[in-house]
Amino acid sequence: MMNLRPGFLSTLAATLLTASAQFATAQSVAVPKALAQGIAPLAAVEKVPMPEVDNAALLSKALVLDEAGPFHFAEAIPVSLSPYDSGTWEWLADGSAVWRLRVASKGAESINLGFGRYAMPEGGRMFLYSADYSTVLGPFTEADNEKHGQLWTPLIESDEIVVEITVPGEKAAEVDVILTSVNHGYRKVGGYLEKSGSCNVDTVCSQGDDWRDQIQSVAVYGTSGTTFCTGALVNNTAQDGKPYFLTAYHCEVDATDAPSIVVYWNYENSTCRTPGSTASSQTGDGSFNQFNTGSILRAAYSASDMTLLELDDPVDPAYDPYWAGWDRTGANATSAVAIHHPNTEEKRISFEYDSTTITSYLQSSVPGDSTHIRVADWDLGTTEPGSSGSPLFDQNKRIIGQLHGGYAACGNDESDWYGRLFISWTGGGTSATRLSDWLDPLGTGVTTLDGRGTSDFLSGGAILIDDTLGTGDGDGIAERGEDTIRLTIPIQNISTGTRTGVSAVLTTTTLGVTIVSDTASYGTLAPDETASNAVPFTISIGSEVPCGTQIALNLTVSSAEAQGAFAEILPTGPNCDVLSELASGGAPVLDDTTGNGNSNGLPDPGETALHLTLPLTNTGGLAVAPSATLESLTDTASVLVGTRSWPNIANGATASNADPFVLAIATEHPCGDPIDLRLTVQGTGETIVLTYRLETGAFDPNQTGTITTSVTPGTEFGVTAETVTETITVTGEGTVLDVNLTVNMAHTWDEDLDIYLISPAGTEAHLFNRLGSSGDNLTDTVFDDEAGTAIGSGSPPFTGSFRPYQPLSVFDGEPIAGDWKVRIVDNANLDSGTVNLLKLDIEAGVIVCEPAVGAIKPGDTSGNGTITPQDAQDAFMCYLLGTCEPGKQASAADIWPDDGDGCVDANDGDGAITPSDAQRIFDRAIGVLNSCP
């Protein structure tokens, strides 16, 4: 039976996979908000179920498709889900906004996602994770924004995954991410197919020792989230490390599919399983925690089964990539080696000790059409389905072709055929159909080129740290908050030739770390010589960087003779102050059962002695007994007791202040106005500041209703590109609970239009975003947050109710009265329209506050609900000086309550409170007197 080479199926370990700022896969210590900070449980997040998929039927179909093309493992389910029409938003106390969406596909062995639109604003981060958090991908950031505008993700072995985006609150409206493909894995990773044959040889075995560099060039990749193949990094005459990736034409990667490529590096078994043993035919322990995502199609030629891609991010030097050399002379190899992934398992190496021949595909006659290289049979190891696109190396360790197909398997002496690099070099005569433009960009005309690793240079020793400048403490340890850290990084020339004019550029993929001075020179380096940069690099570490972070540094080295790159890890001090890792761990807890509170759980005007507890979560190292000061940012609210402490808070734990803060709300505080508070946490040499908001009052269920206001302007517009603004004046009192807008508009080209709603307070929501192509009109179009269909899923004339592009809930809590404005932007000339009807339906309510129970207790001079020795001292002074405020001069029971022993008139029993009585009350309060005289 003929075994053509379908691609690759991976076992994705439950491990932290990361996307980076410069390299698409650099390690990160960042974690999703759902793990780092207590937010709503996943049960409160919208779950979108996918249509049911028949795994068995798809598998039967795939087994047929696999014979002639790449390996099929998943079914693409088209969707259109974005943060503005799906999922759940939350706004957190630290000012950030979090959007989450649960995606469920019943019976899926795995799920991977395709974002047809990915444009993340600065400061935004996206994570993907299984519902039990066992597998986490991310963060994907603004650095993953590509020209093609897409992002495709590795698979997660689960039938439900969560998409989480965290962004600074003010940038929430800038998130432009649309999930367009949910890829349902109907084959379990490592299941259904036979394991790789036992005759195969693990690349870690001693047989691979002479091929260590070439092994590092080979990787496996997925396309469009549904198929897999194999390929290899190849060198070019510029020796500039461009990530050109050679694979097979029959793996079906075209210009449309290229952005969906996800390449996995170093998928290898950790031990050598003896060839021929039972263990060698079993699934190994390879890891999939290193990947690149996204590529650009550079060339393709079917006659020699060639496709060349360029990955759209550099390969992380930490993965030790190797750019394989090549030979385009067309000569037969005297021996050959294949490095590949048989039956979608860990990387293997196979050997042919005899010469190759030149033939047609699947033919043995020499030379045939000369498009392919025939390997007569493998002397050690084999290839199998799953090896498509893998490189064939000659005796000089240069690529001469890539695997097209064949009959080879363990237990036979059948042949394989590889598309010839010699034919692919000139291909179809254009840059899009040949290799020469890409692999010889300098036009040298060379016929062979050796491979290269990440660098001719190697880090030559430990990084020297100078933190005596700026905010540094001079202890020689890189710590967060230090803004002028100078680094000396030795490098060694490990090549056999002298390197002249050596210089380097420093970059980092660690969030919060800034390279202030990124370039340095090293002069001339003889072979094996080590030198340090003449001028230090300078970096700054932000105060938000977690304590103990491993900073990923990448050094790109250039010389007149060669270029290279390598990675370094710079640890930050384990004893750095961790207070910057304290964050609001939940909503404030208010207790208004004290003082004169009315016990309704809300801060109401006139209430005093309100107790407030503030939970804090620690996402850094151990926080040792933090203390903080609370102050009011609202004139009509006072903090009576504003300094409190917390117990030690371990990493990931949440704790509350041991004793409550105490607040008082003035009677003149407007009902419904919020109370803003600021908490300043004191640290060693630093502080962090958190803000909180307490809402006052509640909606009266007896004072809610819907106000409908409409206008029929009849405004004509759009012969030239223009903006029109219509006003809807709303009268009455109340606060917005919900807003819906109905639009009737005649227009000849809906895709020219943007529609916005602006409240009297100036808040704006973008409702309609250039939809509907050449469709005519918006007829009885209702924008409603509660609608079942997003406006982006509608079609002209959009009759019915739709969720808007941005939510109307941004108006909730604002006053209803004033001029509401509808802004309509026509973005093109020629097509025109008329605004016929605009109608606002506003559900409004009246916020009411309950009265305080009564005046502050006489004698409680601080107003904190408890009569303390200080209160007694205050009472004594006011009696002594005759300056008591109204309500403070009262009976002894008020100043110091009778506890049943009859001690009221503490001095002379004359029934009147005198200064002497107050003195004795004070003395008793502080323990000088233990009983009445």
Side-chain angles (χ1 to χ4, degrees), residues 364-380:
S364 58
S365 298
V366 177
D369 64 7
S370 301
T371 58
H372 283 71
I373 299 167
R374 175 176 174 250
V375 175
D377 60 64
W378 294 104
D379 296 309
L380 178 62

Side-chain angles (χ1 to χ4, degrees), residues 19 76-77 112-118 126 128 137 140 144 146 148-155 179-183 222-226 256-264 291-295 312:
I77 303 173
N112 70 86
L113 303 178
F115 293 90
R117 177 63 181 163
Y118 179 89
M126 182 174 76
L128 311 173
L137 305 178
F140 299 91
D144 294 290
E146 302 291 349
H148 52 66
Q150 301 180 42
L151 178 69
W152 293 73
T153 74
L155 59 84
L179 175 62
T180 54
S181 185
V182 175
N183 305 308
T223 306
S224 298
T226 60
T256 301
D257 297 322
S260 71
I261 294 299
V262 178
V263 179
Y264 300 86
F291 65 88
N292 274 62
T293 175
S295 73
D312 59 23

Side-chain angles (χ1 to χ4, degrees), residues 534-761:
V535 177
F537 300 100
T538 306
I539 69 171
S540 171
I541 306 178
S543 60
E544 74 277 11
V545 175
C547 185
T549 292
Q550 301 283 302
I551 298 174
L553 297 175
N554 306 291
L555 205 65
T556 301
V557 185
S558 301
S559 71
E561 296 79 15
Q563 294 76 41
F566 59 85
E568 288 283 357
I569 297 295
L570 178 66
T572 59
N575 298 318
C576 60
D577 195 300
V578 299
L579 287 180
S580 292
E581 297 312 305
L582 291 174
S584 175
V589 178
L590 185 78
D591 178 9
D592 65 339
T593 63
T594 59
N596 64 339
N598 55 32
S599 303
N600 67 352
L602 298 171
D604 291 310
E607 287 187 321
T608 59
L610 304 180
H611 287 189
L612 184 67
T613 301
L614 301 176
L616 293 180
T617 297
N618 177 23
T619 59
L622 175 66
V624 180
S627 63
T629 300
L630 185 70
E631 58 184 316
S632 174
L633 303 179
T634 302
D635 291 341
T636 49
S638 302
V639 177
L640 303 179
V641 178
T643 302
R644 288 302 189 215
S645 62
W646 283 254
N648 292 353
I649 310 176
N651 174 262
T654 300
S656 297
N657 39 303
D659 296 302
F661 295 99
V662 181
L663 307 179
I665 316 300
T667 55
E668 62 270 21
H669 180 82
C671 181
D673 281 8
I675 297 167
D676 292 316
L677 304 169
R678 179 167 58 205
L679 186 72
T680 302
V681 186
Q682 304 295 330
T684 304
E686 67 170 329
T687 61
I688 62 169
V689 177
L690 301 170
T691 57
Y692 298 85
R693 169 163 287 188
L694 303 179
E695 300 292 343
T696 63
F699 285 102
D700 184 350
N702 297 317
Q703 299 187 65
T704 60
T706 300
I707 296 174
T708 299
T709 308
S710 61
V711 294
T712 54
T715 304
E716 297 181 359
F717 69 98
V719 175
T720 59
E722 64 178 305
T723 298
V724 295
T725 301
E726 306 290 354
T727 299
I728 306 173
T729 301
V730 177
T731 59
E733 295 183 0
T735 301
V736 173
L737 296 176
D738 187 50
V739 174
N740 297 334
L741 175 68
T742 301
V743 176
N744 261 316
M745 182 187 306
H747 195 276
T748 52
W749 197 285
D750 296 343
E751 196 172 6
D752 289 350
L753 302 177
D754 285 284
I755 301 175
Y756 302 82
L757 179 64
I758 304 100
S759 71

Side-chain angles (χ1 to χ4, degrees), residues 8-13 157 188-198 200 202 267-273 277-288 341-348 384:
F8 165 76
L9 181 64
S10 65
T11 301
L12 183 62
E157 287 188 312
K188 181 175 176 61
V189 174
Y192 299 119
L193 291 180
E194 296 177 2
K195 309 302 181 203
S196 60
S198 63
N200 278 294
D202 285 310
Y267 175 46
E268 302 167 348
N269 203 58
S270 63
T271 60
C272 177
R273 296 168 291 184
S277 67
T278 300
S280 188
S281 66
Q282 300 301 310
T283 299
D285 61 0
S287 172
F288 286 81
H341 291 263
N343 265 331
T344 72
E345 297 293 333
E346 283 81 358
K347 196 183 299 182
R348 305 282 192 137
E384 297 178 357

Side-chain angles (χ1 to χ4, degrees), residues 235-242 244 326 438-444 446 449 452 559-563:
N235 198 11
N236 73 85
T237 57
Q239 302 262 12
D240 56 6
K242 275 196 174 180
Y244 290 130
W326 40 263
W438 311 103
L439 301 191
D440 187 15
L442 303 182
T444 65
V446 299
L449 182 69
R452 54 154 290 189
S559 71
E561 296 79 15
Q563 294 76 41

